[in-house]
Amino acid sequence: MNKKGARYSQVMKELKNAYEQDYHFKDGGILGSMCTKPHPAALKAHSMFIESNLGNPGLYPGTKKLEEKVIRMLGSLLHNKNAYGHVTGGGTESNITALWIAKKVTKKKEVVFPESAHFSFHKACDLMDLTPVEIGLDKNYRMRIDEAEDKISDKTACVVGVAGTTELGVTDPVDKLSDICNEKTFLHVDAAFGGFVLPFLKELGYKTPDFDFKLKGVCSVTIDPHKMGMASVPAGALLLREKQYLKSISRKPVYLTGVQACISGTRCSASVPGTYATMKVLGRDGYRRIVKSCMDVTFYLSKRFKEIGLQLPVEPEMNIVCARMKNPIRIVKELDKKGWKISKTRKPRCIRGVVMPHVTRKVVDDFIPELKKVCRKNGEI
Ligand SMILES: Cc1ncc(COP(=O)(O)O)c(C=O)c1O
């Protein structure tokens, strides 16, 4: 830091320069992100509450009330309007917190999750000295239930099912996990992405699997408003069936006002009103429209993938579509040089498009000829 403060205009110029180096959703090249441009209501609310800090909730009773309302709205979306929980910094924090609670409540060490689970579960195991027990996948890339049943034991602290896997967007058979766990073994569902998609797909008439508190065995659910919820970053949420789960991690620091029952101390809280405003303004109809439009583009993208000779490992179940590649790393690198930010998967080896609201038909039409060229050059088609 300089001894003397720099000129404000000079600093702003520097910021503008940095901003211009970033990629922006509106520019159309981002095909691999699970976030999107937040809803205008989220942006307005976020800047209005920029001072809020729910780490010291007694100073922000208004923001705290909005957080309670957000949890109630998310709970009712996930078939439990009496759910407990809090807004987090995202799916990673929610998943780590869920395993923290499971560890506290059960005093056990093993965490059973599918190979397709988000890497936050490995982070959580590392942090808390838990033992990961990975379960293989069936031909549709879902957790193998027979293997899970074999490996769930009296050492299990938590079983994890995923509703909308990060790579392929498929959902594990959570109904079967719920039966196996039978309200005795802690069952956590990671619906970070699928939580704002599956309920609306169901309303649109798609055949969707049950994955949430409707299933008796489900103890906690991760759902991210900053993904398909259209809220401002960072906004995740962890929802819990029982109050005692929240109590198991509660602290009442003497120097602060109120209780903390989460990993963060001071926490970004502006995204709480951001989430509240977005959910209120959009309503179920608004989200259904967004999901419908993302699915239309998803099917269009998968059709265009097939037209240029690419194969899909699975038909899309939500707005994620992958195409098999012999060398996805090389393809992603070459597309990156042309300004296309698509991602890749490990198992199976694919390029992966996440069809968020900023990915329009026009974006697909601009992308496919470039992809075709790169795939031809590299012998993929
Ligand atoms: C299924 C799933 N869970 C958890 C996460 C982690 O979310 P975050 O990046 O918000 O921490 C992701 C992120 O892509 C995800 O897809």
Side-chain angles (χ1 to χ4, degrees):
M1 205 194 299
N2 293 337
K3 186 171 178 300
K4 249 176 121 182
R7 274 214 319 276
Y8 180 82
S9 58
Q10 182 58 34
V11 175
M12 288 304 127
K13 208 166 136 200
E14 230 179 280
L15 293 191
K16 186 162 176 282
N17 184 273
Y19 181 84
E20 281 164 1
Q21 290 169 42
D22 289 348
Y23 291 86
H24 300 282
F25 296 121
K26 67 176 167 43
D27 300 332
I30 303 179
L31 288 167
S33 171
M34 290 181 133
C35 294
T36 191
K37 191 171 169 53
H39 191 278
L43 297 175
K44 174 89 180 145
H46 199 111
S47 55
M48 194 172 160
F49 283 77
I50 205 74
E51 279 182 26
S52 284
N53 170 18
L54 287 173
N56 202 359
L59 299 189
Y60 305 97
T63 314
K64 182 75 197 139
K65 273 187 205 126
L66 291 176
E67 185 179 43
E68 286 159 11
K69 288 183 181 176
V70 165
I71 295 301
R72 222 171 304 136
M73 285 196 283
L74 291 172
S76 78
L77 184 67
L78 301 175
H79 292 103
N80 183 358
K81 58 181 182 344
N82 299 316
Y84 302 88
H86 59 277
V87 172
T88 65
T92 299
E93 187 184 332
S94 300
N95 288 339
I96 294 174
T97 311
L99 296 203
W100 180 22
I101 291 171
K103 183 185 181 200
K104 294 278 287 188
V105 170
T106 65
K107 313 218 173 345
K108 293 175 185 177
K109 291 242 119 156
E110 289 190 358
V111 186
V112 176
F113 56 85
E115 277 172 13
S116 54
H118 187 260
F119 70 101
S120 49
F121 293 102
H122 284 285
K123 277 190 189 172
C125 289
D126 255 12
L127 279 166
M128 293 181 276
D129 197 24
L130 296 167
T131 310
V133 178
E134 278 194 282
I135 307 296
L137 307 179
D138 66 16
K139 64 179 194 330
N140 294 314
Y141 303 96
R142 292 181 236 278
M143 188 186 206
R144 281 188 48 180
I145 282 295
D146 51 348
E147 191 184 333
E149 193 158 18
D150 280 352
K151 292 193 174 158
I152 294 170
S153 73
D154 57 8
K155 293 190 196 132
T156 306
C158 186
V159 176
V160 177
V162 188
T165 54
T166 310
E167 297 199 329
L168 293 171
V170 300
T171 297
D172 290 322
V174 183
D175 54 345
K176 300 218 170 67
L177 290 177
S178 172
D179 290 344
I180 296 168
C181 291
N182 192 23
E183 299 173 55
K184 292 187 184 83
T185 306
F186 196 101
L187 173 58
H188 173 67
V189 176
D190 181 0
F193 191 74
F196 267 100
V197 183
L198 289 166
F200 304 108
L201 285 179
K202 189 168 215 125
E203 289 183 9
L204 287 163
Y206 287 74
K207 202 169 167 294
T208 54
D210 288 337
F211 71 98
D212 60 18
F213 292 108
K214 193 173 175 191
L215 301 167
K216 290 262 179 319
V218 172
C219 301
S220 57
V221 181
T222 287
I223 176 169
D224 277 358
H226 70 203
K227 294 190 168 73
M228 280 297 283
M230 311 292 297
S232 43
V233 169
L238 177 66
L239 268 74
L240 304 161
R241 188 184 285 280
E242 306 280 346
K243 192 170 187 180
Q244 51 135 339
Y245 297 157
L246 207 52
K247 274 196 161 167
S248 72
I249 57 162
S250 288
R251 300 277 193 286
K252 196 171 184 321
V254 189
Y255 76 102
L256 295 172
T257 58
V259 174
Q260 282 188 7
C262 50
I263 293 177
S264 302
T266 295
R267 53 184 171 120
C268 173
S269 310
S271 40
V272 169
T275 302
Y276 178 79
T278 308
M279 291 185 77
K280 286 297 273 190
V281 167
L282 282 174
R284 292 187 86 108
D285 289 353
Y287 281 111
R288 196 169 56 240
R289 272 196 300 275
I290 289 169
V291 168
K292 160 122 188 22
S293 143
C294 290
M295 289 311 287
D296 289 347
V297 181
T298 301
F299 293 130
Y300 183 60
L301 177 59
S302 56
K303 180 169 122 329
R304 300 292 311 266
F305 274 165
K306 287 176 195 168
E307 275 170 9
I308 62 168
L310 296 174
Q311 281 181 352
L312 313 190
V314 281
E315 287 302 317
E317 290 178 20
M318 50 183 78
N319 46 329
I320 297 177
V321 53
C322 292
R324 287 188 190 273
M325 291 288 152
K326 290 183 239 72
N327 191 342
I329 297 177
R330 190 160 57 199
I331 299 296
V332 166
K333 224 186 232 169
E334 292 205 16
L335 286 168
D336 185 86
K337 282 192 209 136
K338 293 169 182 279
W340 291 102
K341 305 288 165 188
I342 195 160
S343 55
K344 54 192 177 299
T345 63
R346 301 159 297 168
K347 208 176 166 184
R349 286 142 72 95
C350 291
I351 56 164
R352 162 188 174 264
V354 187
V355 186
M356 299 300 288
H358 60 269
V359 180
T360 58
R361 263 179 175 249
K362 157 124 189 20
V363 170
V364 173
D365 285 338
D366 292 343
F367 172 64
I368 290 291
E370 301 267 18
L371 174 67
K372 190 171 171 182
K373 257 189 253 162
V374 170
C375 285
R376 274 234 172 100
K377 183 177 149 219
N378 290 285
E380 294 281 358
I381 49 174

